[in-house]
Amino acid sequence: AADESSDDGDLMIRQVVGGEHEPNDEHHHFRLFKRRFGKSYASEEEHNYRFSVFKANMRRASRHQKLDPSAVHGVTQFSDLTPAEFRRNHLGLKGSLRLPSDANKAPILPTKD
Amino acid sequence: LPTDFDWRDHGAVAPVKNQGSCGSCWSFSTTGAMEGAHFLATGKLESLSEQQLVDCDHEVSVESDDLIVMVFSCKKFSGIVGFRIKCDPDEPGSCDSGCNGGLMNSALEYTLKAGGLMREQDYPYTGTDRGTCKFDKTKVVASVANFSVVSLDEDQIAANLVKNGPLAVAINAVFMQTYVGGVSCPYICSKRLDHGVLLVGYGSGAYAPIRLKEKPYWIIKNSWGETWGENGFYKICRGRNICGVDSMVSTVAAVHTTSQ
C-alpha cells in the first residue's frame, strides 16, 4: 500500500493503513518515513525502539481510520513518537485549565438574515 | 452568515508556522488570533512573535484553587495555615510557562498588559524557553483592544469568526497525531482539551463516504509546519462539539499600533 513518486523529485508516501502488513512492508514503510522526514537515530538500540513505536502507531492509525472514516489517517512526522512524547513535545495547552469565572463573554451576535 | 467562509481567502492568515519540539501551541494560537485581529484593524497582515509570549508571558493560566497547606507546631501553638497561589513559576500548572504549556486567554491578558506583540522578525521563534525576555516595547506592532470568550454555540462561533477574524480555540488532539487529510469526524473523541489552534473558517459540506452525507466542517490552522495535515491545516466536522472544539473559543480585537 505504499508508493513512491519522484515526478518532481519529491518523495511522497501514500497511506499505509487499513491492511495487514508483512514484516518487510513495515521495514519499507519505516525507511520511507525516515527519508521523508529526515529522521536519524543515535544508536541501533534507539532505531529499534523507534521502529517498534512506528509499528504501534501504524496500528493506531488503522484504529483511527476505522473510528474516523471521513478523514485519512496514516504516516505523519509524529509516527515515531509515543502518545506521551507527542503530548509532551507538540501540544501544550494546560491540562488543568479553567477559564477565569470573570472572563469577558462575547456579546451574542445576530445570525439570521 | 455565509454558508462557506475562509479567512485565508481574505488575507488574514499568516503562513503556517512550526512550534517544533516545544509545548508552545498556546502562543501560536494567540498570535494567530492577534494577526487576524490586527489585519481587520489595519488592513495589514503582520506575522507576530510567539517567542515573546514563550519568554515573557507568565500570566496565571488557571484560576488556581490550589492550597498550600503548612502545618506548624511549637510548644504553645499548633495549627494549619492555608493560602492560595497565583503565579508561582516554580509551581507546575499555575502560569503560562513557555514550552511547558499555557492558555490563550492568559496570553491575551499578558498581551493587553504588556502593550502588545512585536513582529516575528524582530523577536524570532527559537523553539526553546531557556532564553530571557527580550521584549522591546518600542517595537510593538499589534495591540489588544479587548478580548472575550465565545459561548458554546456553533452559530455564535461562526458569527464571531466572520465578524472579528480568526478565533483562538482549544481542542483534543488525539486524532491529530495520525491525521493526513480529509474531514475528521470521529465517532468518539475525548473533550479533554490539550492543544491550542486557530479557527480560520468553515465549509458547508464535504463528502463523508461511510455516513453517506455531506458534513459541514471547521477549518483549523495548526502549528506543526506545512508537511502536516492539509498543508498545515485540519478540517474537523461541525455540529456536536467534536473533540471539544467548541468548548474554549476566544475572540480578540486589536488596535492599530505604530512602531517607533
Side-chain angles (χ1 to χ4, degrees):
Chain A
D3 187 22
E4 283 185 48
S5 164
S6 55
D7 288 345
D8 55 1
D10 193 20
L11 185 69
M12 297 292 291
I13 300 178
R14 297 268 167 85
Q15 289 314 293
V16 295
V17 298
E20 295 300 319
H21 305 298
E22 297 297 323
N24 283 342
D25 282 349
E26 291 173 333
H27 280 287
H28 179 63
H29 295 319
F30 191 51
R31 264 199 308 277
L32 290 176
F33 162 77
K34 287 188 295 180
R35 272 174 64 187
R36 183 178 182 199
F37 296 110
K39 302 269 186 173
S40 60
Y41 306 108
S43 65
E44 191 174 347
E45 189 182 21
E46 174 70 7
H47 178 276
N48 293 342
Y49 174 65
R50 290 298 155 194
F51 182 45
S52 69
V53 173
F54 179 83
K55 286 189 285 185
N57 276 328
M58 289 304 92
R59 291 192 293 274
R60 191 155 165 260
S62 187
R63 286 197 300 277
H64 282 183
Q65 190 65 72
K66 285 173 187 156
L67 282 169
D68 186 14
S70 54
V72 178
H73 289 272
V75 175
T76 70
Q77 67 248 53
F78 308 120
S79 292
D80 61 346
L81 300 180
T82 64
E85 289 170 329
F86 172 70
R87 277 197 302 276
R88 191 165 58 245
N89 293 323
H90 299 283
L91 303 182
L93 201 78
K94 289 283 189 188
S96 56
L97 63 88
R98 285 191 302 281
L99 283 174
S101 51
D102 60 350
N104 279 340
K105 302 227 174 8
I108 299 300
L109 297 175
T111 54
K112 304 290 181 201
D113 302 322
Chain B
L1 286 171
T3 52
D4 294 86
F5 191 82
D6 189 341
W7 273 114
R8 291 176 295 181
D9 299 336
H10 302 271
V13 183
V16 171
K17 304 178 189 183
N18 194 338
Q19 68 188 76
S21 294
C22 169
S24 54
C25 63
W26 58 278
S27 68
F28 287 84
S29 175
T30 304
T31 56
M34 277 297 295
E35 285 161 358
H38 181 71
F39 176 82
L40 263 74
T42 67
K44 290 182 193 160
L45 181 63
E46 296 275 8
S47 186
L48 300 174
S49 173
E50 294 78 27
Q51 197 64 39
Q52 180 186 337
L53 295 172
V54 168
D55 289 344
C56 310
D57 170 16
H58 302 295
E59 283 290 317
V60 178
S61 67
V62 290
E63 194 177 47
S64 181
D65 288 332
D66 299 334
L67 276 176
I68 300 290
V69 177
M70 297 176 71
V71 179
F72 66 93
S73 65
C74 63
K75 281 185 180 175
K76 288 186 178 177
F77 305 103
S78 65
I80 298 174
V81 174
F83 53 91
R84 290 178 196 283
I85 23 172
K86 273 305 181 187
C87 184
D88 177 357
D90 295 328
E91 181 64 29
S94 70
C95 314
D96 287 345
S97 51
C99 293
N100 291 315
L103 183 61
M104 288 79 83
N105 254 58
S106 40
L108 291 169
E109 185 75 42
Y110 157 81
T111 307
L112 184 65
K113 288 178 185 169
L117 292 176
M118 292 165 61
R119 285 190 181 91
E120 189 87 60
Q121 63 193 61
D122 291 333
Y123 200 153
Y125 187 67
T126 64
T128 71
D129 57 4
R130 291 188 287 274
T132 54
C133 177
K134 293 174 272 298
F135 174 55
D136 180 350
K137 199 166 185 173
T138 65
K139 291 186 175 173
V140 162
V141 70
S143 300
V144 173
N146 61 60
F147 63 95
S148 46
V149 178
V150 181
S151 68
L152 204 157
D153 175 303
E154 296 211 337
D155 282 343
Q156 283 302 307
I157 293 170
N160 274 278
L161 173 79
V162 172
K163 183 167 187 284
N164 300 327
L167 305 172
V169 301
I171 196 170
N172 182 284
V174 68
F175 281 86
M176 295 171 78
Q177 187 177 358
T178 58
Y179 173 82
V180 173
V183 178
S184 185
C185 198
Y187 296 122
I188 49 166
C189 182
S190 166
K191 291 181 173 57
R192 191 179 59 80
L193 306 175
D194 55 17
H195 190 41
V197 288
L198 187 71
L199 182 59
V200 300
Y202 57 83
S204 57
Y207 183 55
I210 301 295
R211 289 168 167 124
L212 298 174
K213 60 181 177 184
E214 297 280 308
K215 295 197 75 67
Y217 57 89
W218 297 119
I219 304 165
I220 282 175
K221 183 187 180 190
N222 201 359
S223 50
W224 295 341
E226 289 186 342
T227 58
W228 177 85
E230 294 191 350
N231 299 315
F233 288 82
Y234 181 57
K235 287 180 187 154
I236 186 166
C237 64
R238 285 176 64 177
R240 50 188 176 95
N241 191 20
I242 297 279
C243 300
V245 68
D246 303 333
S247 308
M248 182 179 287
V249 180
S250 300
T251 179
V252 58
V255 288
H256 179 50
T257 307
T258 306
S259 59
Q260 297 169 356

